[in-house]
Amino acid sequence: EAEVAQSPRYKITEKSQAVAFWCDPISGHATLYWYRQILGQGPELLVQFQDESVVDDSQLPKDRFSAERLKGVDSTLKIQPAELGDSAMYLCASSFTTGYNTEAFFGQGTRLTVV
Amino acid sequence: QQQVKQSPQSLIVQKGGISIINCAYENTAFDYFPWYQQFPGKGPALLIAIRPDVSEKKEGRFTISFNKSAKQFSLHIMDSQPGDSATYFCAASGGGSTLGRLYFGRGTQLTVWP
């Protein structure tokens, strides 16, 4: 069964260091999302791509976060420098399109701990 | 501002009982209301979803009830089983520039004890 792949599964980094997460969506899915899930809360969108273009990054802290999807397939989310408050689960999701009721499939996430 | 409000935060149900989780929204542009199930250490997985043109949708033991006028929807889990123990999130999405973006509730941690 096709799934969204994320790596690494876990990451521990020191404050002020750089960290990067990678996501490979389901083949053929044009839309890719990065969500952040703080412990005990629901996921919140950080950035949404349609193919290689950003369509929504209104909630992305652009002073330290960046995201790219250069060839419209896999994607990288980077944090530099990491802060203690960035500790969370970072979830990647993909969908075939953003048409009516198109299901979003989530990966298993990257658990980030900033110390 | 929380776009989707979910309650209760936690729920304990006996095996065989009915679990009910409620959500409310304000944005009338929302036109897709999914429920996700999440186990510890895993990503959310779609459980069931509904559009606002129907008032109820049932899939096996899971039912969504939707009240468009009240802007509320709920998940009912019939004959709850220990394997249903997980965190459940309601969500909503709509058209416009945020097409596809999901707004999640804060989640309900369900525990079903034998």
Side-chain angles (χ1 to χ4, degrees):
Chain A
E1 182 176 308
E3 61 180 30
V4 176
Q6 289 188 247
S7 67
R9 288 291 312 279
Y10 305 93
K11 180 70 177 179
I12 300 174
T13 190
E14 293 185 346
K15 185 176 61 172
S16 79
Q17 295 298 304
V19 62
F21 315 128
W22 177 80
C23 172
D24 190 12
I26 293 173
S27 178
H29 280 195
T31 308
L32 185 147
Y33 311 83
W34 283 101
Y35 285 85
R36 177 169 60 184
Q37 184 177 21
I38 296 171
L39 192 63
Q41 297 184 22
E44 293 186 341
L45 183 75
L46 289 173
V47 60
Q48 177 179 341
F49 289 91
Q50 183 67 26
D51 298 308
E52 67 276 6
S53 300
V54 173
V55 296
D56 187 349
D57 64 355
S58 57
Q59 302 303 307
L60 189 71
K62 298 181 186 63
D63 57 334
R64 297 186 300 110
F65 286 64
S66 63
E68 61 182 15
R69 193 185 184 198
L70 294 176
K71 297 182 179 179
V73 181
D74 60 337
S75 175
T76 302
L77 178 69
K78 297 179 181 178
I79 307 175
Q80 182 173 16
E83 295 181 352
L84 296 177
D86 296 332
S87 294
M89 175 80 86
Y90 290 82
L91 294 162
C92 179
S94 70
S95 62
F96 181 69
T97 183
T98 54
Y100 198 48
N101 295 350
T102 301
E103 178 181 354
F105 295 84
F106 283 81
Q108 295 204 61
T110 296
R111 170 69 67 186
L112 173 67
T113 302
V114 181
V115 297
Chain B
Q1 182 183 2
Q2 194 76 19
Q3 295 266 5
V4 179
K5 296 181 180 180
Q6 182 173 348
S7 63
Q9 186 174 351
S10 62
L11 183 60
I12 301 174
V13 174
Q14 190 172 5
K15 179 182 176 181
I18 302 174
S19 304
I20 302 174
I21 305 171
N22 301 299
C23 285
Y25 66 97
E26 288 297 326
N27 189 343
T28 56
F30 288 151
D31 59 8
Y32 175 60
F33 302 89
W35 284 89
Y36 280 82
Q37 180 188 55
Q38 186 176 31
F39 292 102
K42 304 291 186 181
L46 180 67
L47 193 61
I48 187 173
I50 197 169
R51 296 181 302 176
D53 54 351
V54 297
S55 61
E56 186 174 283
K57 183 175 181 180
K58 183 177 181 180
E59 291 185 0
R61 296 185 294 109
F62 301 91
T63 300
I64 300 178
S65 296
F66 187 83
N67 186 329
K68 187 175 181 179
S69 61
K71 291 183 286 187
Q72 295 175 347
F73 58 110
S74 61
L75 176 69
H76 296 236
I77 306 174
M78 310 299 288
D79 187 26
S80 299
Q81 299 297 311
D84 297 331
S85 297
T87 300
Y88 293 80
F89 293 95
C90 60
S93 70
S97 61
T98 57
L99 185 65
R101 172 181 180 172
L102 289 167
Y103 294 86
F104 285 86
R106 295 177 71 94
T108 296
Q109 187 169 348
L110 172 65
T111 302
V112 182
W113 54 281

